[in-house]
């Protein structure tokens, strides 16, 4: 099993923190490869013990078990399956009464420190023995006993049943029976599940569900990738959907309330204010608009404005210009007037969003800004959005204050048009979204037929680029949509249309989900890039306390960047030492969530890697995803995708969407059903990372990493890539030193692939290298060309092969020529023994040529660089083995003497 890192480094304070930091990693160290059978088939003993321990921590807190007893319940749960921990096949009752064995198992599980006295050990023994359903069978049944033991034993029994592989309805009945005893009251289980995960907006929705259900007496019991399990005496007769929608809306409003500056934007068409901004704080919106107007004033360029004045003046006509000039409707001529014209344009855009016609808009603007009736009539000939503001700025005698009054009125009109009345408290759209996205524990009338009809009957121009086709479709520009969202309607490219960018159609909730991500993640302050999204999901049946710890960890990691941007990792330490060390970065890394409530059943982390190709971004993202997911104290299933929304899954441990064909040999099919499958991929990526940093500088390690990853399609190509990068970084490299660095990760990587088609090839190459090492068959120096000399002579002979010469003649000539060469360069010459070694050397290369390449020169020569590189590394390996063997023989001879 590969060595896995840890992320929780803070000293634990609570019992839950002690469990997740110290005990849980030990359970996986001890039992991660102990597979179970029967109704628990498909899970390991470590997963079962972990599930039971998390369950007991939650239930004991709900039941208000005394704090001095909770650690004992946890200790008993951590080793409750004593029969599975024993190699002799003894039963639980026998093992529980064997104090030596029980203490040994408690110590292995790191919980022996909780068992202080003999009474504590006896309590642990009783809980373990009784959890399996047996009656009290020792002498204690005739003595007074703490009545709480029965309740605590029921908790342990319920914890043992919690992950049973049977249908939920049957399993929940068993749990309710045990928990009724444990709590001393009626207990019913209620599960909510989500149909789709849209990121932060779904996390806020689940948070709203939890808040409302807790208000009515239900307690969170466990978290699943697709929802949450609650327990309580009964479900109140309340319209939960409406109340949840109201809380959900308030949570969304709070997010946007803190990000108004992101919702008030200066565009080439004017200052635009979104609906979300005006629903928060109108005064704050006005402050942001005024700040943007000041920036417009500071950026005033007379030449550019003069061109716009000419353009829109000519569009209105000479008569309109003359009439406007008579009424003092003169074009802007300074920065102050330009700011007022931009303010008029902002007011125009805002009024238009409220549904008013251009004439109605300018009537209201004229009223607020002091434009007279005659002037109002005169500017009618100019373009409403672009021309009129340029010519009406001088006439707006009330200036910025008048514009602010107009903006206030427009905001109020927009707010009223979408405002939730006091009677309904929340819009029908939000209620419908809750009904569609969440399966609450009571009957809901599904509108599947309506959704299908909306899709079938939708106007082609209103097909959704994002989300499902429904009646609530928004038309948005690309800044408000995820990168790469396809365009569905090109109406503005028709004859006579404006040259602005095409609009995207989006389901309103899907668009809102993206906007939440845009303002809620710590994206870098640079131009928007296409991120990959890492979806980390809490394992099935996780304790609510794990969610709190996970949120705290993400907050701590985000604080690494005090300026609120991305957090990256020290790549040198990651590639070379397999250590994760986070550090701040302004451009690339993880865009962690800004708020803890953006994380619930899953955490969605955008990953940005700057100007790199998609394959390299995928490799870097996957390495980081696996290091986090497989850390001993996290162990979260993951999905890596270019999409914000992915399919929910309770089965696969890991999933990658969109693997290029060049990386499929390295990464497999992208579906990792078990933790062991993901560990195998992580081991491969770790090996490639070590190889890259061994032959390339850290500045070029990513390029080398990419080349190595692509070479895995045919693993023997790895030798050529490594040699090429070594020569690129060093003119005369010491191959012996390089081999000592790369041999371990390279051999581990090759063993992971085990390609059958290369077995014979590497066999003959290795044997030839061993003969060369034993006979010192190489040139006159330790330079690369001299070391490869006998092999390159073989390549040259094949390249110059004549049709009329048979292989016998070619290889006989090779043997004679190279023997003569060695005789000339060796100080004392060579004899018959060396001739036989050279002959054996070329016999192996002939077998390689005939059996692997079918004596086809074109096929062989296409691989010549790869074969030469592999031969050089095999020669270094053979040399080390020969040297080590010689030293061992020398030591053995000396010892014998």
């Amino acid at each position: 099993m590969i060595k896995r890192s840890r992320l929780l480094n803070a000293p634990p304070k609570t019992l839950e923190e002690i469990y997740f930091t110290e005990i849980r990693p030990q359970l996986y160290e001890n039992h991660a490869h102990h597979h179970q059978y029967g109704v628990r088939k498909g899970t390991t003993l470590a997963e079962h013990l972990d599930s039971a321990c998390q369950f007991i921590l939650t239930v004991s807190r709900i039941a208000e078990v005394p704090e001095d007893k909770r650690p004992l319940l946890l200790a008993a749960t951590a080793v409750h399956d004593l029969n599975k921990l024993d190699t002799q096949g003894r039963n639980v009752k026998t093992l529980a009464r064997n104090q030596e064995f029980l203490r040994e198992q408690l110590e292995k599980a790191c919980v022996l420190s909780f068992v202080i006295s003999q009474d504590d050990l006896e309590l642990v023994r009783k809980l373990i023995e009784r959890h399996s359903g047996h009656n009290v069978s020792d002498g204690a049944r005739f003595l007074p006993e703490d009545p709480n033991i029965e309740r605590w034993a029921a908790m342990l029994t319920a914890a043992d049943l919690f992950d049973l592989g049977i249908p939920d309805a049957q399993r929940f009945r068993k749990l309710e029976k045990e928990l009724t005893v444990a709590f001393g009251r009626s207990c019913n289980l209620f599960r909510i599940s989500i149909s789709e995960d849209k990121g932060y907006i779904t996390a806020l929705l689940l948070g709203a569900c939890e808040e409302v259900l807790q208000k009515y007496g239900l307690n969170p019991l466990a978290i699943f990738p697709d929802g949450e399990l609650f327990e309580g005496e009964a479900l109140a007769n309340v319209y939960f959907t409406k109340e949840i929608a109201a809380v959900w809306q308030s949570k969304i409003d709070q997010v946007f309330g803190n990000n108004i500056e992101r919702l008030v934007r200066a565009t080439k068409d004017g200052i635009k204010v979104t609906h979300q901004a005006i629903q928060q704080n109108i005064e704050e919106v006005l402050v942001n608009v005024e700040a943007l107007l000041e920036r417009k004033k500071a950026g005033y360029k007379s030449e550019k404005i003069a061109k716009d004045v000419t353009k829109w003046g000519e569009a209105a006509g000479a008569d309109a210009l003359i009439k406007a000039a008579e009424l003092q409707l003169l074009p802007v001529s300074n920065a102050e007037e330009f700011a007022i014209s931009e303010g008029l344009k902002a007011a125009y855009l805002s009024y238009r969003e409220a549904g008013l016609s251009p004439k109605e808009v300018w009537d209201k603007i004229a009223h607020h800004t002091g434009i007279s009736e005659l002037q109002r009539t005169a500017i009618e000939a100019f373009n409403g959005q672009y021309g009129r503001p340029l010519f009406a700025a001088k006439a707006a005698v009330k200036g910025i204050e008048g514009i602010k009054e107009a903006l206030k009125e427009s905001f109020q009109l927009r707010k009223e048009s979408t405002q939730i009345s006091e009677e309904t408290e929340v819009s029908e759209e939000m209620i419908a979204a809750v009904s569609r996205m969440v399966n609450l524990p009571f009957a809901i009338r599904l509108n599947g037929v309506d959704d299908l009809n909306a899709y079938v009957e939708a106007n082609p121009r209103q097909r959704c680029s994002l989300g499902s086709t429904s009646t609530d479709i928004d038309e948005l520009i690309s800044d408000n949509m995820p990168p790469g969202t396809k365009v569905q309607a090109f109406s503005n490219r028709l004859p006579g249309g404006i040259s602005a960018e095409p609009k995207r159609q989006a389901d309103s909730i899907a668009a809102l989900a993206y906007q939440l991500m845009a303002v809620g993640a710590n994206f870098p302050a640079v131009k928007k890039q296409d991120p990959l999204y890492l979806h980390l999901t809490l394992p099935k049946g996780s304790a609510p306390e794990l969610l709190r710890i996970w949120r705290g960890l993400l907050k701590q990691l985000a604080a690494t960047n005090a300026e609120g941007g991305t957090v990256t990792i020290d790549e040198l330490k990651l590639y070379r030492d397999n250590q994760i060390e986070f550090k701040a970065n302004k451009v690339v890394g993880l865009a962690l969530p800004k708020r803890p409530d953006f994380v619930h059943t899953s955490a969605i982390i955008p990953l940005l890697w700057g100007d790199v190709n998609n394959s390299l971004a995928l490799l870097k993202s996957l390495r980081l995803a696996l290091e986090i997911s497989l850390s001993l104290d996290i162990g979260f299933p993951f999905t890596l995708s270019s999409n914000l929304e992915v399919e929910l899954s309770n089965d696969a441990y890991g999933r990658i969407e969109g693997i290029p064909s060049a990386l499929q040999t390295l990464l497999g099919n992208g579906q990792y059903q078990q933790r062991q499958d993901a560990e195998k991929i992580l081991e491969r990526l770790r090996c490639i990372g070590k190889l890259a940093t061994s032959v390339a500088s850290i500045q070029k390690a990513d390029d080398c990493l990419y080349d190595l990853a692509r070479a895995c399609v045919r693993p023997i190509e790895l030798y050529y890539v490594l040699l090429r990068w070594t020569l690129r970084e060093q003119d005369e490299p010491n191959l012996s030193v390089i081999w000592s660095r790369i041999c371990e990760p390279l051999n581990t990587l090759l063993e992971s692939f085990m390609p059958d088609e290369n077995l014979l090839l590497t066999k003959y190459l290795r044997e030839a290298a061993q003969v060369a090492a034993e006979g010192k068959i190489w040139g006159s120096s330790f330079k690369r060309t001299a070391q490869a000399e006998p092999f390159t002579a073989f390549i040259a002979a094949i390249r110059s092969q004549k049709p009329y010469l048979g292989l016998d003649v070619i290889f006989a000539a090779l043997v004679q020529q190279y023997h003569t060469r060695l005789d000339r360069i060796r100080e004392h010459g060579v004899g018959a023994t060396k001739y036989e070694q050279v002959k054996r050397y070329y016999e192996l290369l002939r077998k390689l040529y005939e059996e692997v390449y079918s004596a086809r020169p074109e096929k062989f020569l296409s691989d010549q660089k790869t074969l030469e590189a592999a031969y050089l590394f095999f020669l270094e390996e053979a040399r080390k083995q020969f040297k080590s063997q010689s030293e061992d023989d020398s030591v053995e001879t000396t010892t014998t003497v």
Side-chain angles (χ1 to χ4, degrees):
M1 185 172 67
I2 65 170
K3 184 179 179 182
R4 302 199 314 227
S5 57
R6 297 194 184 197
L7 296 178
L8 301 176
N9 299 317
K13 298 177 182 178
T14 65
L15 180 62
E16 286 81 1
E17 289 175 355
I18 292 171
Y19 171 73
F20 288 110
T21 305
E22 300 173 1
I23 302 170
R24 184 173 183 252
Q26 195 60 47
L27 292 179
Y28 280 95
E29 286 276 14
N30 295 341
H31 312 298
H33 294 279
H34 185 152
H35 294 278
Q36 301 187 106
Y37 304 95
V39 291
R40 300 191 192 279
K41 185 178 180 180
T43 62
T44 63
L45 181 58
E47 290 170 337
H48 170 59
L49 295 176
D50 178 31
S51 170
C53 287
Q54 292 193 49
F55 189 85
I56 205 75
L57 285 170
T58 305
V59 170
S60 62
R61 185 174 289 281
I62 295 173
E64 299 180 351
V65 174
E67 286 301 318
D68 61 327
K69 300 298 183 186
R70 290 183 71 226
L72 298 177
L73 266 69
L74 178 60
T77 308
V79 298
H80 69 275
D81 280 338
L82 289 174
N83 58 316
K84 296 177 183 177
L85 307 176
D86 181 46
T87 57
Q88 301 178 26
R90 292 173 287 181
N91 60 35
V92 172
K93 177 180 174 182
T94 302
L95 295 171
R97 298 184 184 188
N98 184 335
Q99 289 198 12
E100 182 180 352
F101 179 82
L102 180 56
R103 284 184 176 276
E104 179 185 345
Q105 297 305 319
L106 291 170
E107 185 174 11
K108 284 184 179 178
C110 292
V111 291
L112 185 59
S113 59
F114 296 147
V115 183
I116 300 171
S117 65
Q118 187 64 30
D119 289 342
D120 292 343
L121 186 64
E122 182 65 11
L123 176 57
V124 170
R125 195 268 309 167
K126 289 180 179 179
L127 293 174
I128 293 174
E129 187 175 334
R130 297 183 193 185
H131 94 274
S132 55
H134 300 297
N135 293 323
V136 184
S137 57
D138 57 5
R141 66 184 302 177
F142 302 109
L143 300 173
E145 184 180 61
D146 187 344
N148 286 318
I149 291 180
E150 184 180 356
R151 295 176 53 223
W152 299 339
M155 293 179 194
L156 182 49
T157 303
D160 189 37
L161 295 171
F162 183 61
D163 66 340
L164 209 59
I166 58 176
D168 282 354
Q170 185 180 350
R171 183 164 55 97
F172 285 176
R173 283 197 300 271
K174 291 177 178 290
L175 288 172
E176 288 168 348
K177 177 183 175 183
E178 298 298 335
L179 291 177
T180 297
V181 176
F183 295 144
R185 58 168 170 78
S186 174
C187 175
N188 292 285
L189 300 182
F190 307 96
R191 180 165 179 176
I192 64 169
S193 57
I194 53 175
S195 60
E196 50 194 350
D197 188 353
K198 295 180 180 291
Y200 293 173
I201 195 169
T202 305
L204 293 178
L205 175 55
L206 287 167
C209 292
E210 189 175 281
E211 187 176 320
V212 171
L213 294 178
Q214 282 185 297
K215 173 183 172 183
Y216 291 101
L218 300 185
N219 298 304
L221 197 60
I223 298 173
F224 293 83
D226 62 345
E228 196 163 356
L229 183 66
F230 293 82
E231 72 80 25
E233 292 190 58
L235 195 64
N237 186 17
V238 178
Y239 187 15
F240 282 103
T241 305
K242 183 177 178 181
E243 192 162 344
I244 288 170
V247 176
W248 186 30
Q249 179 68 68
S250 69
K251 288 179 178 291
I252 294 172
D253 292 346
Q254 289 170 16
V255 174
F256 285 117
N258 296 328
N259 291 276
I260 286 178
E261 68 278 2
R262 296 288 300 272
L263 303 173
V264 180
R265 299 177 300 109
T267 72
K268 58 184 177 59
D269 298 316
I271 295 172
K272 295 183 178 181
V273 181
T274 65
H275 286 285
Q276 289 84 6
I278 63 174
Q279 288 172 355
Q280 311 311 312
N281 187 333
I282 288 179
E283 293 301 325
E284 186 69 22
V285 173
L286 289 172
V287 169
N288 279 272
V289 171
E290 197 167 359
L292 290 176
L293 291 177
E294 288 296 323
R295 287 172 58 185
K296 291 278 188 182
K297 185 194 299 185
Y300 171 73
K301 294 181 180 178
S302 58
E303 300 85 2
K304 183 179 182 305
I305 301 306
K307 290 181 181 179
D308 290 341
V309 168
T310 302
K311 173 183 176 182
W312 297 111
E314 289 177 354
D319 293 342
L321 286 171
I322 295 170
K323 187 175 181 180
E326 292 174 353
L327 295 172
Q328 299 303 307
L329 292 172
L330 301 173
V332 297
S333 57
N334 55 51
E336 189 71 37
E337 291 173 359
F338 175 61
I340 292 174
S341 73
E342 287 296 311
L344 293 172
K345 191 187 295 185
Y348 175 85
L349 292 171
S350 185
Y351 274 122
R352 291 287 285 154
E353 286 290 325
L356 274 65
S357 68
K359 182 180 184 307
E360 292 172 329
V361 169
W362 274 100
D363 286 344
K364 289 185 176 294
I365 291 176
H367 170 71
H368 287 291
T369 57
I371 298 174
S372 68
E373 186 65 31
L374 287 175
Q375 291 172 325
R376 166 70 188 88
T377 305
I379 60 172
E380 191 71 32
F382 295 86
N383 178 276
Q385 181 174 344
Y386 301 100
R388 294 180 199 177
L390 290 172
F391 288 86
K394 289 182 184 292
V397 293
K398 294 184 181 179
I400 295 295
E401 292 303 317
I403 290 170
K404 287 169 68 174
E405 290 300 319
L407 285 169
K408 277 185 183 179
E409 184 186 40
S410 69
F411 293 160
Q412 197 60 41
L413 289 172
R414 291 171 65 184
K415 195 170 182 180
E416 288 172 0
S417 66
T418 58
Q419 191 174 29
I420 302 163
S421 69
E422 294 182 0
E423 296 179 0
T424 59
E425 297 180 4
V426 67
S427 68
E428 291 297 327
E429 180 186 355
M430 297 299 285
I431 295 175
V434 173
S435 298
R436 185 175 69 249
M437 294 175 65
V438 184
N439 179 19
L440 292 167
F442 51 81
I444 300 177
R445 184 175 62 85
L446 298 176
N447 294 319
V449 175
D450 294 345
D451 291 340
L452 181 61
N453 287 336
Y455 176 78
V456 172
E457 298 172 2
N459 187 318
R461 291 181 179 275
Q462 294 183 343
R463 295 284 186 196
C464 277
S465 306
L466 181 70
S468 58
T469 300
S470 66
T471 55
D472 303 308
I473 301 298
D474 291 336
E475 193 175 76
L476 301 171
I477 62 173
S478 61
D479 279 351
N480 287 333
M481 300 287 276
T485 304
K486 303 302 181 187
V487 181
Q488 299 290 357
F490 289 87
S491 58
N492 57 353
R493 293 291 191 266
L494 298 175
I498 62 174
S499 60
E501 67 169 352
K503 298 292 190 295
R504 276 80 168 164
Q505 310 291 334
D507 170 71
S508 55
I509 296 298
L512 184 59
Y514 172 72
Q515 291 165 16
L516 267 173
M517 176 66 71
V519 302
N522 283 297
F523 283 103
V526 294
K527 185 175 179 174
K528 184 169 60 176
Q529 304 166 2
D530 292 6
L532 285 171
Y533 294 100
L534 171 58
H535 302 250
L536 288 166
T537 308
L538 268 69
K540 291 187 292 186
S542 295
E545 191 66 16
L546 177 58
L547 174 58
R548 185 192 66 79
I549 293 172
W550 177 226
R551 284 172 169 173
L553 175 62
L554 291 178
K555 182 179 179 181
Q556 174 191 334
L557 294 180
T560 304
N561 192 334
E563 298 179 1
T566 48
V567 173
T568 189
I569 51 171
D570 188 322
E571 292 193 341
L572 181 60
K573 287 189 175 181
L574 180 67
Y575 292 156
R576 188 180 62 191
D577 307 322
N578 299 328
Q579 293 181 3
I580 300 181
E581 183 176 306
F582 294 95
K583 59 182 183 180
N585 192 286
K586 293 183 178 180
V587 180
V588 301
L590 300 87
L592 295 163
K594 294 179 180 178
R595 298 164 60 104
D597 49 356
F598 288 152
V599 179
H600 207 93
T601 60
S602 65
I604 298 180
I605 304 174
L607 302 170
L608 303 105
W609 300 112
D611 188 20
V612 300
N613 64 49
N614 293 335
S615 296
L616 182 55
L618 179 66
L619 288 171
K620 291 163 71 73
S621 299
L622 180 58
R623 174 69 191 275
L624 190 55
L626 288 168
E627 291 286 0
I628 295 174
S629 171
L630 290 171
S631 58
L632 278 169
D633 41 14
I634 295 297
F636 287 0
F638 73 95
T639 299
L640 188 62
S641 173
S642 59
N643 297 319
L644 176 60
E645 183 180 347
V646 296
E647 180 184 355
L648 297 171
S649 174
N650 285 326
D651 301 326
Y653 180 84
R655 195 165 77 246
I656 311 171
E657 295 183 353
I659 299 179
S661 58
L663 300 181
Q664 286 181 357
T665 303
L666 174 67
L667 305 181
N669 62 4
Q671 300 285 333
Y672 312 129
Q673 298 301 323
Q674 303 294 331
R675 187 189 301 261
Q676 291 79 4
D677 300 332
E679 287 177 354
K680 180 180 178 182
I681 301 301
L682 176 57
E683 184 177 54
R684 290 178 179 178
L685 293 177
R686 282 183 173 180
C687 290
I688 288 179
K690 282 188 177 180
L691 292 173
T693 51
S694 297
V695 299
S697 62
I698 190 61
Q699 292 81 7
K700 299 178 181 177
D702 282 345
D703 294 335
C704 182
L705 184 81
Y706 178 56
D707 287 347
L708 290 167
R710 290 195 305 167
C712 291
V713 173
R714 189 176 178 223
I716 197 169
E717 297 280 352
L718 290 167
Y719 292 101
Y720 173 62
V721 173
L722 290 167
L723 181 62
R724 188 183 66 196
W725 272 96
T726 301
L727 296 175
R728 184 181 296 180
E729 296 288 310
Q730 306 172 41
D731 292 334
E732 288 296 336
N734 186 330
L735 291 180
S736 179
V737 173
I738 296 296
W739 177 252
S740 66
R741 293 177 188 167
I742 69 173
C743 62
E744 182 182 350
L746 180 58
N747 288 333
T748 303
L749 187 60
L750 292 172
E751 286 172 10
S752 174
F753 291 119
M754 296 284 287
D756 295 336
E757 66 272 14
N758 287 328
L759 288 178
L760 201 59
L761 172 63
T762 56
K763 174 179 179 291
Y764 288 136
L765 270 181
R766 285 182 188 276
E767 289 179 3
Q770 287 169 357
V771 172
E774 292 172 8
K776 298 184 179 179
I777 304 174
W778 53 72
S780 55
S781 72
F782 281 95
K783 291 185 177 181
R784 174 181 59 89
T785 51
Q787 299 300 299
E789 191 177 84
F791 192 81
T792 53
F794 163 56
I795 294 175
I798 298 301
R799 186 185 296 113
S800 59
Q801 179 182 354
K802 304 300 181 183
Y804 54 83
L805 291 178
L807 291 179
D808 291 339
V809 176
I810 292 174
F811 279 93
L814 265 175
V815 172
Q816 185 61 51
Q817 289 169 4
Y818 203 74
H819 182 261
T820 304
R821 161 75 174 160
L822 291 177
D823 187 57
R824 188 174 70 251
I825 64 176
R826 294 289 188 266
E827 185 176 354
H828 302 292
V830 294
T833 303
K834 186 66 65 179
Y835 184 87
E836 290 300 322
Q837 289 174 330
V838 174
K839 184 178 180 182
R840 172 64 180 154
Y841 177 83
Y842 282 113
E843 282 176 354
L844 289 168
L845 293 184
R846 180 173 179 175
K847 287 183 178 180
L848 168 72
Y849 183 57
E850 290 182 321
E851 296 182 24
V852 177
Y853 291 98
S854 305
R856 293 171 58 188
E858 73 285 354
K859 188 177 179 183
F860 170 78
L861 291 173
S862 66
D863 271 354
Q864 60 176 333
K865 292 182 179 179
T866 298
L867 295 174
E868 182 181 347
Y871 171 76
L872 283 169
F873 286 122
F874 289 159
L875 181 60
E876 291 299 331
E877 182 181 28
R879 269 208 193 112
K880 288 186 180 297
Q881 290 175 353
F882 183 70
K883 183 179 179 181
S884 176
Q885 185 178 355
S886 299
E887 289 175 353
D888 291 344
D889 292 344
S890 176
V891 171
E892 184 178 344
T893 304
T894 304
T895 305
T896 304
V897 173

